[in-house]
Amino acid sequence: MSKYHVVSFYQIEKILDHERLSRDVTRYASKHSLLGTFFSTPQGINTTMSGEKEALEGLIEMLESKFNLSLFNPKWSISEDKPFKRLRVRLKPRLLPLEGCLLYTSPSPRDQRGSRMAGSGW
């Protein structure tokens, strides 16, 4: 029985051409039979994908070298069953759904990282 490698990672980082990044990910993932979901936004990326470990490592290497992302600490696991049915690469306007938050004033979640927001309950 074949085992499926699964990797999850995200990176909050300004991406100048997230449309090109998503096209390159789609091409790479299709060529290497990777399945799962990949979100690309101007603020960063978020993904969970499965496939052969070498192909997943190649995807990470491509994102780091071609798009200058620092994908530290990806989470790896193994599944006995096929975890995903298809590949979905989606373009989104923002990485985090903060537009409904009254405290959302910056287009980048990086600008608010590490600060305590008054009245937020955190």
Side-chain angles (χ1 to χ4, degrees):
M1 176 177 277
S2 180
K3 293 184 179 184
Y4 299 90
H5 291 269
V6 180
V7 66
S8 296
F9 56 85
Y10 70 94
Q11 179 64 39
I12 298 174
E13 186 71 39
K14 184 175 182 179
I15 298 176
L16 298 177
D17 193 352
H18 77 282
E19 292 175 3
R20 179 175 155 234
L21 183 144
S22 68
R23 284 192 305 269
D24 288 359
V25 168
T26 300
R27 264 188 243 122
Y28 182 91
S30 297
K31 180 179 178 180
H32 295 281
S33 302
L34 300 180
L35 301 176
T37 304
F38 189 99
F39 293 112
S40 175
T41 75
Q43 300 167 334
I45 60 171
N46 187 0
T47 187
T48 302
M49 299 184 88
S50 70
E52 292 184 12
K53 186 163 186 172
E54 294 79 20
L56 294 167
E57 290 171 336
L59 174 66
I60 292 170
E61 183 178 313
M62 186 261 300
L63 292 169
E64 290 180 333
S65 64
K66 193 170 189 177
F67 295 96
N68 201 29
L69 296 174
S70 300
L71 303 175
F72 59 93
N73 204 20
K75 305 296 184 217
W76 291 91
S77 62
I78 296 177
S79 174
E80 296 288 334
D81 300 318
K82 191 174 183 179
F84 304 107
K85 294 180 181 179
R86 66 180 188 264
L87 172 66
R88 282 182 61 189
V89 178
R90 302 226 12 227
L91 291 171
K92 296 187 101 176
R94 58 180 54 84
L95 190 59
L96 302 172
L98 295 174
E99 69 180 319
C101 177
L102 294 175
L103 300 172
Y104 180 68
T105 57
S106 170
S108 174
R110 265 190 107 117
D111 295 342
Q112 294 186 10
R113 187 170 57 179
S115 65
R116 182 183 173 113
M117 292 186 268
S120 67
W122 291 91

